[in-house]
Amino acid sequence: MSTPSSSIDTLAIHAGQEPDPSHLAVMQPIVLSSTFAQREPGSPLKFEYSRSGNPTREALESCLAALEGGRFGFAFASGSAATLSLLHTLRPGDHVVSGDDVYGGTFRLFDKVLKPMNVSTTFVDMRDPSRVEAALTSETRLIWLETPTNPMLKVFDIGKMSALAKSRRIPLVVDNTFASPVLQRPLQLGADVVMHSTTKYINGHSDVVGGALITSDEGLAERIAFLQNAIGAVPSPMDCYLVLRGIKTLPVRMRRHVESARELAGRLAAHPGVAAVHYPGLKSHPDHALAQRQMSGPGGMISVDLAGTLEQARRFLASLRVFTLAESLGGVESLAEHPALMTHASIPAESRQALGISDGLVRLSVGLEDVDDLWRDLQAGFAAMS
Ligand code: P1T
C-alpha cells in the first residue's frame, strides 16, 4: 500500500512502513535473520537470503525511493559502496565526466580504483556547460555530479546536465548528499540516478555509515539490483532501522539546519577575519540564483576561507567547543573540519589549489544547537587566530 500523500513530511514518517502483519507493530521490526525458510526448494516466500533482500532494508529502500520521487531504491553499506556499485555498470575503455569538486573519497574511487581498471574520468567545472560538452567523448558512458559540491558549495544546473546526458543517451548521476531530498529532487530535474551517503543528513544522528541509489529507470534498476546482490556491499538490518528512524525527522531537521546556516553565513560574511564565505544562500554567491531555482533551501553546509595561515586555521579549529573537529556532516551536532588536511587530503595539492581548497579553508556542518552558542564558538575561534 502506498502512502496517500506526496508531502515529504508525511512520506518521511510513513513511506515503505506498513504496520507489521504479524503483530501490527507500528515501528518497523528489525529482521536480523540472514536467511528465510523455503517450503519447497527454490520457491522462497518473498525473501531468501538477506544479502539479496531483507524486510527492514526493503522498508528503507521504499522510503528512500518515495522521498526522491523515484520508483526503485537500493541501500548500501556506505555512500562509497553505493558509488562503486553503480560504477560497476561501466566497462574497461569507458569514460566518465565528473564535476570537478567532489568528496575526496569519490575522487579517490575515480582516480585509484577505476583508472587502473581502464575507466578514465575527466573532472570539469560544470558551472559552464560548454566545458562539459567539450569533455564528452564517444566513450563517455556516465555524467556524475554533486550539487552543492563538497567542499566548495558550488551549484551545478541539474536540468542542463540532464539535457546533455540525454542528447548522448547516457545516464546522469547526482550525489544529493549535501541537499537531501527535502531541499532538492534531482530525478524531477532530469537526473537518472540519485546517490546518497545516508551517513549524513538522511540518518542525521552520526551513528550509521550508509549509502543509497534511487532511480525510476527500469533498466538501470535491474542492473543496480544485480550489482547490489552480486557485490554484496549491503547495510545491516539494524543500520537500516536506524536510518529509517532518522528519516522521520529529516524535513524538520533540514528546515532548522537551513535557518541556522543562513544566519551564521550572514554573520560570517560580515566578519573581518574571513576572506570568503561559500554558501549558496548568500546573494554574493555566484550560483545564488540557480540555487534558488533548483533548491527549496540552500542547505546547512558553509565553507569559510579564513584570512590566515594553516597555523591560524589550526588554532581556530582547536579553540572550538560547541563545533566538534571531525569529518562527516549532516548530523544534529555541529562539526568543523579542514578539507585540505582531512576530507580532501586524497586530492593532489595542485588540484586542491585550483579548486580553492586553501590551507585557510574550514568547512562547517551547522547542527541544531542554539545558533547564538554556535556564533559565540566561532567568535572564540577568530579570537584564537590572532
Ligand atoms: O562516507 P560514505 O558514507 O562512504 O559517503 C561518501 C560520500 C559521498 N558523497 C558525499 C557528497 C560525501 O560527502 C561523502 C562522505 N563525506 C564525508 C565523510 C565528508 O566529511 O565530507
Side-chain angles (χ1 to χ4, degrees):
M1 195 165 67
S2 63
T3 308
S5 172
S6 59
S7 160
I8 199 149
D9 294 76
T10 305
L11 292 172
I13 292 166
H14 295 292
Q17 298 158 80
E18 293 302 319
D20 161 46
S22 37
H23 304 292
L24 297 183
V26 171
M27 294 308 294
Q28 198 62 35
I30 305 166
V31 181
L32 292 170
S33 193
S34 58
T35 191
F36 299 84
Q38 305 192 17
R39 296 215 168 90
E40 284 177 50
S43 55
L45 195 59
K46 178 168 183 189
F47 299 102
E48 55 187 303
Y49 184 61
S50 276
R51 168 162 43 74
S52 319
N54 168 281
T56 318
R57 192 174 94 210
E58 185 188 55
L60 171 62
E61 293 178 330
S62 305
C63 184
L64 288 166
L67 296 186
E68 286 289 358
R71 291 175 60 202
F72 311 101
F74 302 91
F76 292 87
S78 68
S80 305
T83 299
L84 191 59
S85 297
L86 182 77
L87 294 178
H88 271 89
T89 56
L90 300 170
R91 294 277 168 272
D94 287 353
H95 173 249
V96 178
V97 175
S98 166
D100 58 347
D101 188 32
V102 288
Y103 168 56
T106 304
F107 172 83
R108 188 172 52 202
L109 282 176
F110 284 125
D111 189 49
K112 296 281 193 297
V113 180
L114 258 71
K115 201 153 86 183
M117 292 161 72
N118 196 24
V119 174
S120 58
T121 307
T122 306
F123 297 93
V124 190
D125 185 345
M126 294 184 166
R127 287 187 290 191
D128 179 357
S130 70
R131 288 197 203 179
V132 180
E133 210 160 358
L136 293 167
T137 73
S138 54
E139 311 308 326
T140 308
R141 296 287 175 271
L142 193 83
I143 301 182
W144 179 281
L145 66 90
E146 284 177 19
T147 182
T149 66
N150 181 1
M152 296 309 295
L153 282 311
K154 297 194 229 181
V155 181
F156 297 145
D157 192 323
I158 296 172
K160 280 191 182 151
M161 290 309 120
S162 154
L164 275 178
K166 285 191 173 32
S167 74
R168 301 295 181 111
R169 296 168 187 266
I170 56 175
L172 170 68
V173 186
V174 174
D175 180 338
N176 202 25
T177 299
F178 265 40
S180 91
V182 177
L183 304 180
Q184 178 171 273
R185 314 281 286 277
L187 296 180
Q188 286 174 5
L189 299 166
D192 300 286
V193 182
V194 169
M195 178 264 160
H196 275 286
S197 167
T198 55
T199 317
K200 311 297 170 357
Y201 288 109
I202 295 234
N203 178 55
H205 294 73
S206 303
D207 50 9
V208 172
V209 172
L213 297 172
I214 299 112
T215 184
S216 289
D217 182 299
E218 236 163 88
L220 279 169
E222 211 172 291
R223 191 80 192 124
I224 294 167
F226 170 81
L227 291 167
Q228 182 195 38
N229 181 45
I231 295 170
V234 293
S236 74
M238 184 69 201
D239 282 354
C240 293
Y241 172 79
L242 285 171
V243 177
L244 270 173
R245 187 164 83 154
I247 286 173
K248 290 180 192 291
T249 54
L250 177 67
V252 182
R253 286 187 281 110
M254 289 316 295
R255 281 178 212 124
R256 168 72 173 230
H257 283 300
V258 169
E259 189 189 340
S260 295
R262 256 192 219 284
E263 181 61 33
L264 290 184
R267 294 188 197 181
L268 284 165
H271 196 281
V274 164
V277 181
H278 306 283
Y279 183 66
L282 289 174
K283 284 205 179 76
S284 57
H285 189 285
D287 312 320
H288 177 67
L290 170 60
Q292 279 195 308
R293 281 202 307 278
Q294 185 165 276
M295 306 173 73
S296 60
M301 297 299 296
I302 306 173
S303 287
V304 190
D305 205 333
L306 300 172
T309 59
L310 176 61
E311 192 40 47
Q312 285 175 308
R314 280 186 195 276
R315 287 211 292 271
F316 177 94
L317 289 166
S319 76
L320 300 177
R321 293 289 173 269
V322 184
F323 282 87
T324 301
L325 174 61
E327 303 205 5
S328 202
L329 59 114
V332 293
E333 70 295 322
S334 293
L335 301 180
E337 67 109 10
H338 190 272
L341 294 179
M342 296 167 68
T343 50
H344 292 71
S346 55
I347 296 179
E350 322 80 73
S351 309
R352 283 204 307 265
Q353 218 59 43
L355 286 167
I357 306 176
S358 66
D359 286 349
L361 191 80
V362 165
R363 192 190 72 184
L364 304 174
S365 173
V366 178
L368 309 185
E369 302 92 337
D370 182 281
V371 73
D372 288 319
D373 284 341
L374 294 175
W375 179 241
R376 270 191 290 277
D377 210 33
L378 296 175
Q379 281 181 308
F382 288 119
M385 279 172 70
S386 48

